[in-house]
Amino acid sequence: MKKQLSGWGRNKFINCNIYKPKNLKDLKKIKYSGLIPRGMGRSYGDSSLKKKSILLTENLNKILTFDFKKKVIEVESGLKIVDLLKILIPKKLFLPVTPGSKYISIGGMVASDVHGKNHHQNGSFRHHIIELKIIDEKGQMQTCSKHKNKDLFNYSIGGMGLTGVIYSCKFRLIPIHTDLILQEKIKTKNLKETMKILKESSNWQYNVGWIDTSAKNLNLGRSIIFKGKHVKIPKVKQLTFTESSKLKIKINFPKFLLNHLTIKFLNFFYYILNFQKKSLVKIDDYFYQLDKIKNWNLIYGKKGFISYQLVIPEKKSYTSIKQILEILINNKCYSFVSVIKFLGRKDGYNSFGIKGFTLVFDFPLYDNIYLVLEQINKILIKNKGNIYLCKDSITKSSDFKMMNNNFYDKKFIRMRRVKKKYFNSEQSIRLNI
């Protein structure tokens, strides 16, 4: 079956041959040659695209084992976060790490090694995974963990599907007492205050900031910080996971609606209309804000948008982030969906996380955006920063090779030498990994 697909950013469409196994037996029968696994297609760029063939995991969506007492679960890789939460939350359990959308598969969480709003305390998803089952290039099941097939385990987490097809993942869960989060909103006046408060709020379980990319001069880097933690409320017997009502977008918006002027306007009013306060909010409202708008990526129009996430080591973070924001302002490349977080540790291997600050931007396709991101890449290279591959769609291999990542580590290169013929994406070809 052939189908036209894109990443969530919709800036590149490719006609692909589709394999859609119904179960494990089907999965083992596939001839592995130059394909890439794909879950829900929520990576933004071309990491889950391949002209020759794509393997869709959405039918592999079962819970395999669930030890309620030990708080350990094993699931097939195509299971979506939203479907898992409907089972876990009534049992007073939650994911140890969650990304910003619930419409992501567990396999996608592993392949991208997702990091959440609690990275400063709990690291990335890697640290909570007990075991993976991976189908290799011969269609054979390989079980791997920290103690068995260690290299396959370590490089598959954050490996962007380049080491084999993740069939299942066994991982730890965390207990919760209610389906509510205590949220505190704090408004900051500038970048220095934003970074200071994010670091000083590390005793809060969750911590994230929205940053105003169009504020300048004395207001440069002003933000709204959303701190959060699970709360205990007596006499709560039954928990539920309810999704917030959604606004549905069915058509591409005209391109002219999102430009530097309208985004500057949106940023200004979002900052002004948010007030400092503490409140109890539903899990869905705290973690999955963007999911309230179904197909929100259509807002950017037919040509899509570019998502870009970077991380800068803590020691060089203030000067580097200030430079980056000034580049955006000077070139009028503003973003509305813009995030700043403090990451608490180096996650290792192919994972994105290091101790430092991460920024996320979603840009309309400005005429100068490619040149602007090349300038930002130079800052990352100079300061030993890195980009997150599940967002990337444009970085050159020459730039990526000079960044602070492990995709050119000798062990991974040796592994890829064997697997490159069987597992690759448009992204891995572009970056030569």
Side-chain angles (χ1 to χ4, degrees):
M1 178 172 67
K2 212 156 194 174
K3 195 172 182 181
Q4 191 180 62
L5 293 172
S6 73
W8 188 247
R10 303 182 77 252
N11 55 37
K12 185 186 293 183
F13 284 83
I14 287 176
N15 290 316
C16 315
N17 291 313
I18 301 295
Y19 295 102
K20 199 172 177 181
K22 295 176 183 175
N23 48 41
L24 178 58
K25 191 177 177 182
D26 269 6
L27 186 60
K28 288 182 175 181
K29 284 179 183 176
I30 290 166
K31 290 181 180 178
Y32 292 95
S33 178
L35 60 71
I36 194 71
R38 177 182 169 106
M40 297 304 296
R42 286 295 182 118
S43 57
Y44 286 69
D46 50 3
S47 61
S48 66
L49 296 177
K50 182 68 178 68
K51 284 176 185 173
K52 190 171 182 182
S53 49
I54 286 176
L55 189 148
L56 295 179
T57 62
E58 58 190 69
N59 288 330
L60 306 171
N61 55 14
K62 297 180 184 64
I63 292 175
L64 300 174
T65 62
F66 188 0
D67 190 323
F68 178 73
K69 284 186 179 178
K70 291 184 178 179
K71 301 177 182 61
V72 170
I73 195 166
E74 182 182 11
V75 303
E76 291 183 318
S77 62
L79 184 66
K80 298 194 295 287
I81 292 172
V82 62
D83 294 327
L84 187 53
L85 291 180
K86 288 172 183 176
I87 295 163
L88 294 181
I89 288 176
K91 295 181 182 295
K92 297 187 177 180
L93 294 169
F94 192 60
L95 297 170
V97 171
T98 181
S101 173
K102 58 186 174 287
Y103 301 113
I104 289 171
S105 69
I106 302 300
M109 285 179 64
V110 177
S112 300
D113 190 24
V114 296
H115 50 277
K117 297 172 176 67
N118 59 345
H119 189 282
H120 59 286
Q121 288 191 0
N122 300 106
S124 66
F125 191 40
R126 165 184 296 281
H127 304 286
H128 311 277
I129 298 173
I130 298 166
E131 182 182 274
L132 298 174
K133 287 178 182 161
I134 293 174
I135 305 298
D136 66 15
E137 60 276 8
K138 296 175 183 175
Q140 301 294 313
M141 177 91 81
Q142 301 291 338
T143 301
C144 56
S145 67
K146 289 178 183 176
H147 310 290
K148 183 180 181 181
N149 288 333
K150 287 191 290 185
D151 286 345
L152 182 62
F153 179 79
N154 285 320
Y155 287 108
S156 294
I157 303 169
M160 305 307 294
L162 302 176
T163 62
V165 181
I166 298 161
Y167 166 65
S168 73
C169 176
K170 182 187 284 188
F171 59 97
R172 297 179 191 88
L173 302 164
I174 62 169
I176 57 173
H177 299 277
T178 75
D179 51 2
L180 297 172
I181 296 286
L182 175 64
Q183 175 181 272
E184 182 176 5
K185 279 198 279 188
I186 296 175
K187 290 174 84 165
T188 65
K189 295 174 185 175
N190 54 47
L191 181 61
K192 200 158 262 184
E193 189 181 357
T194 298
M195 295 173 74
K196 182 174 181 284
I197 288 176
L198 280 171
K199 276 208 68 184
E200 289 177 352
S201 304
S202 58
N203 59 320
W204 282 71
Q205 200 168 359
Y206 302 104
N207 216 356
V208 66
W210 169 86
I211 187 165
D212 184 349
T213 57
S214 46
K216 55 186 177 181
N217 300 328
L218 294 176
N219 294 323
L220 182 82
R222 68 182 183 183
S223 301
I224 300 163
I225 293 169
F226 299 83
K227 302 193 286 187
K229 58 186 172 185
H230 295 284
V231 291
K232 291 183 180 180
I233 296 178
K235 299 178 183 178
V236 175
K237 291 181 180 179
Q238 186 62 42
L239 305 192
T240 57
F241 178 67
T242 51
E243 297 183 61
S244 301
S245 57
K246 290 193 195 78
L247 172 67
K248 292 183 181 180
I249 296 174
K250 295 182 180 179
I251 58 168
N252 286 297
F253 278 31
K255 186 186 173 185
F256 66 82
L257 281 181
L258 274 185
N259 55 56
H260 73 277
L261 289 173
T262 56
I263 290 176
K264 188 175 182 178
F265 176 85
L266 286 169
N267 283 342
F268 175 78
F269 277 99
Y270 187 77
Y271 182 80
I272 293 297
L273 295 175
N274 265 284
F275 300 98
Q276 294 194 169
K277 64 175 183 177
K278 276 188 181 181
S279 57
L280 289 174
V281 297
K282 289 278 190 182
I283 278 175
D284 196 52
D285 292 327
Y286 183 76
F287 291 103
Y288 311 116
Q289 285 284 324
L290 281 174
D291 289 341
K292 290 181 180 181
I293 305 174
K294 191 173 182 182
N295 297 328
W296 62 264
N297 55 347
L298 298 180
I299 291 170
Y300 288 88
K302 283 184 180 179
K303 292 187 177 180
F305 66 100
I306 288 174
S307 191
Y308 182 89
Q309 182 164 9
L310 62 92
V311 64
I312 288 279
E314 184 182 5
K315 284 183 182 178
K316 303 174 181 181
S317 55
Y318 176 74
T319 306
S320 301
I321 293 170
K322 185 172 180 286
Q323 282 181 315
I324 288 164
L325 292 175
E326 284 170 347
I327 287 170
L328 297 183
I329 288 160
N330 291 337
N331 288 278
K332 296 182 179 178
C333 286
Y334 307 137
S335 160
F336 177 63
V337 180
S338 314
V339 173
I340 183 167
K341 285 191 293 191
F342 179 66
L343 303 184
R345 66 167 89 176
K346 183 175 175 63
D347 294 312
Y349 299 96
N350 290 338
S351 297
F352 170 73
I354 59 173
K355 189 170 184 180
F357 284 85
T358 181
L359 288 160
V360 184
F361 308 114
D362 286 355
F363 299 109
L365 284 175
Y366 297 116
D367 292 339
N368 57 345
I369 191 62
Y370 294 94
L371 292 173
V372 166
L373 293 181
E374 280 186 16
Q375 289 180 57
I376 294 173
N377 280 344
K378 285 176 184 174
I379 294 171
L380 297 185
I381 291 164
K382 183 181 176 182
N383 295 287
K384 297 185 178 178
N386 194 18
I387 57 165
Y388 191 26
L389 287 188
C390 86
K391 306 274 186 180
D392 173 62
S393 59
I394 64 167
T395 302
K396 294 174 182 175
S397 62
S398 55
D399 281 355
F400 188 63
K401 198 165 188 175
M402 295 173 72
M403 291 179 189
N404 182 26
N405 64 73
N406 289 318
F407 279 88
Y408 302 97
D409 177 83
K410 285 180 183 177
K411 280 187 178 180
F412 186 67
I413 288 171
R414 207 176 302 131
M415 186 181 290
R416 282 294 288 152
R417 204 172 287 142
V418 175
K419 296 180 179 291
K420 209 167 191 175
K421 180 181 172 184
Y422 304 97
F423 305 106
N424 49 65
S425 64
E426 298 301 312
Q427 182 182 72
S428 71
I429 294 165
R430 172 168 53 83
L431 296 176
N432 193 26
I433 53 178

